[in-house]
Amino acid sequence: MKPEYKPDPVVNGDQRQPFKKDEYVPLKKEVFVKKETALDAMAGDGGYEEAYLGDHLRFKMKREGKRFWAGDNISDYLHEGDIEKLIDEATPAFELVLDRLLIDRENDPNSKGTARRLAKMYFNEIMAGRYEPAPDATAFPNDSEDRYEGMLVVRSELRSMCSHHHQPVSGVAYIGIIAAEKLIGLSKYTRIAQWCARRGTLQEELANDIAREIGKATGAKDLGIYIQATHGCCENRGIMAHSSLTQTTVLKGAFRDDPGTKKEFMDNIKLQQEFAPR
Ligand SMILES: [Zn+2]
C-alpha cells in the first residue's frame, strides 16, 4: 500500500503573512536619524556617553583637527566646571603612577593625597596656560600727536616646564617693542608671557609664542624677545649641570633688520640685568 502523502502545514505552509493594513495606523511624526561616522559614535555625539570627559575632549579635538600638544592652548574646548571634572579624572591616573612606582600611598603620610595634589597642580598651576583663555589685555590708543614712539623693554619672570621631562624651567624674558598704534598696560606683557610659559614648552618655542601673542595684543610689528632660563632637565638629571643657562632670541621687524634698534634692545637688557641680576 502506498502511504498517502500529507504535507506538514507548519513546515510547508505559506510563510508569507499578508500585511493587514487595517491593523496598523501610520505614525504621523517625521523621524530623523543622524548621519553618523564611526568617530562621531566614539566622540559621543551619537548618544554614547564616555566614561571620561577627557576622552570626549580628545576625540573632539582630533575630529576637528585641533592640535593639542603640551604647549598648545585648548581653552576654546573647555566649559565652566570642566577643570574640576578633569582634575577628578586625572587623580586616579596619578594614583596608578604612584602604585606602579611602588610608593605606599596608603600608609606613607606624605604620599597620601599626592595624586590629587599632582592633578590640581598640573591643571591650576604648572600647565594653567593650556586651559585658561588669553589674559585680557585692553589696548589703549597711542595715535595722538605726542604719541610715544620709543622702545619699551619689559622684564618678565617666567616659570615653565619642559615638555620632554616635565622638569622646571625658570628664567626671565625681556620683551622689547617699538610702540605701535596701541599700548597695553605694563603688567600685561608679563601676564601674556606667563600665560605662554605655564605649559609644557621648549624654550625656542616659548620665545616664538611670546612674540606672536605680544604682537597680537599690541599690533607691534617691531619686536624682540630675549629669554634666559635654567632647565631642571639639565640640572636635576642627565648631565646634572648646575648653572647651565640657555638663551634664545626672536627678533622681528626693525629689531632684526636695523642694527641700531637691535643694539638698543641688547643694551637695555644689559641695563636691566645690572638692575636686577637673575
Ligand atoms: Zn627636558
Side-chain angles (χ1 to χ4, degrees):
M1 203 172 83
K2 209 175 174 184
E4 198 185 330
Y5 173 71
K6 277 197 190 133
D8 183 313
V10 175
V11 176
N12 297 301
D14 185 0
Q15 299 298 315
R16 292 167 298 164
Q17 297 292 324
F19 178 67
K20 293 172 186 152
K21 207 178 168 192
D22 50 332
E23 284 181 13
Y24 294 86
V25 286
L27 193 65
K28 295 252 165 54
K29 278 190 267 179
E30 278 186 285
V31 176
F32 295 94
V33 178
K34 188 173 183 285
K35 283 186 193 165
E36 182 177 276
T37 64
L39 256 178
D40 281 328
M42 282 193 284
D45 290 358
Y48 296 88
E49 192 65 47
E50 270 82 24
Y52 292 100
L53 172 65
D55 287 340
H56 170 76
L57 295 173
R58 279 191 308 116
F59 282 127
K60 195 173 157 106
M61 289 188 287
K62 269 190 183 177
R63 188 179 36 174
E64 294 177 8
K66 157 75 184 163
R67 203 178 78 167
F68 52 103
W69 295 3
D72 291 331
N73 182 278
I74 57 164
S75 59
D76 283 351
Y77 285 78
L78 298 174
H79 300 96
E80 183 109 24
D82 281 359
I83 292 292
E84 287 68 28
K85 186 133 203 301
L86 292 167
I87 289 171
D88 286 345
E89 291 179 357
T91 299
F94 279 116
E95 284 173 352
L96 188 62
V97 172
L98 295 172
D99 291 347
R100 293 294 181 260
L101 291 171
L102 305 177
I103 293 169
D104 182 356
R105 59 182 173 84
E106 276 143 20
N107 296 301
D108 174 359
N110 299 314
S111 299
K112 271 185 195 175
T114 292
R116 186 156 190 86
R117 277 192 290 275
L118 284 171
K120 283 169 91 168
M121 178 183 74
Y122 270 87
F123 280 102
N124 294 336
E125 292 166 319
I126 58 179
M127 281 211 177
R130 300 189 71 227
Y131 310 108
E132 288 169 0
D136 173 40
T138 314
F140 305 100
N142 181 42
D143 50 11
S144 61
E145 224 164 81
D146 55 349
R147 64 188 291 265
Y148 181 72
E149 291 176 313
M151 183 182 293
L152 194 79
V153 179
V154 178
R155 178 185 194 275
S156 301
E157 295 202 3
L158 294 182
R159 291 289 178 276
S160 190
M161 189 182 86
C162 82
S163 303
H164 297 140
H165 303 91
H166 289 202
Q167 283 288 304
V169 175
S170 161
V172 180
Y174 297 92
I175 302 166
I177 66 164
I178 307 286
E181 302 284 288
K182 48 190 184 170
L183 290 175
I184 56 172
L186 288 180
S187 66
K188 303 299 184 198
Y189 293 92
T190 299
R191 286 206 190 287
I192 291 171
Q194 287 175 346
W195 175 67
C196 294
R198 282 152 73 91
R199 307 175 192 185
T201 60
L202 288 189
Q203 190 175 321
E204 300 87 328
E205 272 173 20
L206 180 56
N208 273 328
D209 289 349
I210 295 174
R212 186 186 60 245
E213 296 300 330
I214 294 290
K216 252 193 236 171
T218 60
K221 297 274 176 281
D222 305 310
L223 54 89
I225 309 293
Y226 175 82
I227 301 180
Q228 228 176 27
T230 56
H231 291 250
C233 62
C234 298
E235 295 188 341
N236 308 331
R237 54 161 297 285
I239 55 170
M240 304 278 251
H242 288 268
S243 77
S244 74
L245 196 60
T246 305
Q247 300 171 171
T248 44
T249 315
V250 172
L251 301 172
K252 300 211 181 280
F255 283 72
R256 182 191 54 214
D257 303 330
D258 174 42
T261 305
K262 185 177 174 179
K263 184 171 186 308
E264 188 184 340
F265 179 49
M266 292 303 171
D267 288 348
N268 263 297
I269 292 171
K270 276 179 212 145
L271 287 172
Q272 294 240 21
Q273 285 174 334
E274 277 166 30
F275 177 73
R278 54 153 279 113

